Amino acid sequence: MSRKSWFAGLLLAASALPALAAERLVVVTPDIAEIVVALGAAGQVVGRDRSSKEPELAHAQVVGFSRALNAETIAGLKPTLVLGSAAAQPPTLWPQLKQLKLRAEEVSPREDGRDFAEAIRKVGKLLGRDAAADKLAADWQRAMQPRTGRAVRYLVSYDGTLAAGRDTAPDTLIRAAGGVNAAAGLSGFKPLNRDAWLALRPDVIILGSHTAAAYGGKEAFAKRPEIAATPAGKQGRIYQLPPQQGMLVGLGSPAVVEQMVKM
């Protein structure tokens, strides 16, 4: 058999093999949506939460807000794979999706996001993009190595009342910035009274920009007596960050950490 005939036969045999079907992905949290986009799989996404605003996902149907999702709405898109993190709520979402016979993977179950590099690799494996995911995860881990320890006391508040203690994404960001979480004595997000703000003595206060209406804006917040009396209040070191930056660990976290270092 000539080489030309052999090659033609090979092509004919290959064309007879079943093609790998593309996934119908629904990504229910913005941190995992970033990974899917970075790995070049945005075209397979048919549904997303409303916080996932990458241009590459503009075609995907919005299934709701990541903190208030409905399993039936997600199932209505007939996904072959649902991806998300601990940011997806309610807590019953993942078991409900599996009860509906959907393939659903909570690839980052830690609230503090410290398993994010592992989540990158999990997504890569699920999508058949292991090599790209390994590189992305390694690059991210290098960029998130803790900066030289500094005595700066950070306090991150969701809405001017709730403060981020240990086991939270802000705590992970603070540690990466080499700082001290002033609220590390608390677990999760807890409300602070006036005395607590003073006792925690934050050097830097970071507020969620999306909840500015709750605390009246940064200027009004800074004038509160208990805030004005803190080191942060006295030095004017009060900042705002969007929730995806200050309240969630994601691919952009290394840049957020650099920003925090300069605060």
Side-chain angles (χ1 to χ4, degrees), residues 115-209:
D115 57 353
F116 189 72
E118 183 182 351
I120 295 173
R121 294 186 175 96
K122 284 181 180 177
V123 174
K125 186 174 182 62
L126 288 165
L127 300 182
R129 298 168 189 244
D130 304 65
D134 285 342
K135 182 180 185 309
L136 183 63
D139 290 347
W140 185 88
Q141 284 179 300
R142 278 193 295 272
M144 284 293 284
Q145 286 297 310
R147 280 44 171 185
T148 303
R150 298 148 61 237
V152 178
R153 293 174 61 81
Y154 292 82
L155 199 154
V156 178
S157 177
Y158 181 81
D159 58 359
T161 301
L162 292 170
R166 64 184 182 277
D167 305 319
T168 64
D171 184 70
T172 298
L173 297 173
I174 291 168
R175 290 172 184 271
V180 175
N181 185 355
L186 307 173
S187 178
F189 283 86
K190 295 292 188 297
L192 298 180
N193 59 30
R194 290 183 59 177
D195 291 341
W197 281 100
L198 289 167
L200 293 179
R201 297 176 291 105
D203 299 305
V204 174
I205 296 173
I206 299 173
L207 302 165
S209 61

Side-chain angles (χ1 to χ4, degrees), residues 193-205 219-238:
N193 59 30
R194 290 183 59 177
D195 291 341
W197 281 100
L198 289 167
L200 293 179
R201 297 176 291 105
D203 299 305
V204 174
I205 296 173
E219 290 73 20
F221 176 82
K223 291 177 182 177
R224 283 166 38 178
E226 70 274 22
I227 304 304
T230 65
K234 291 175 181 177
Q235 298 170 26
R237 298 172 75 181
I238 299 174

Side-chain angles (χ1 to χ4, degrees), residues 3-13:
R3 181 176 179 181
K4 185 175 180 181
S5 299
W6 174 84
F7 186 62
L10 181 63
L11 287 177
L12 183 62

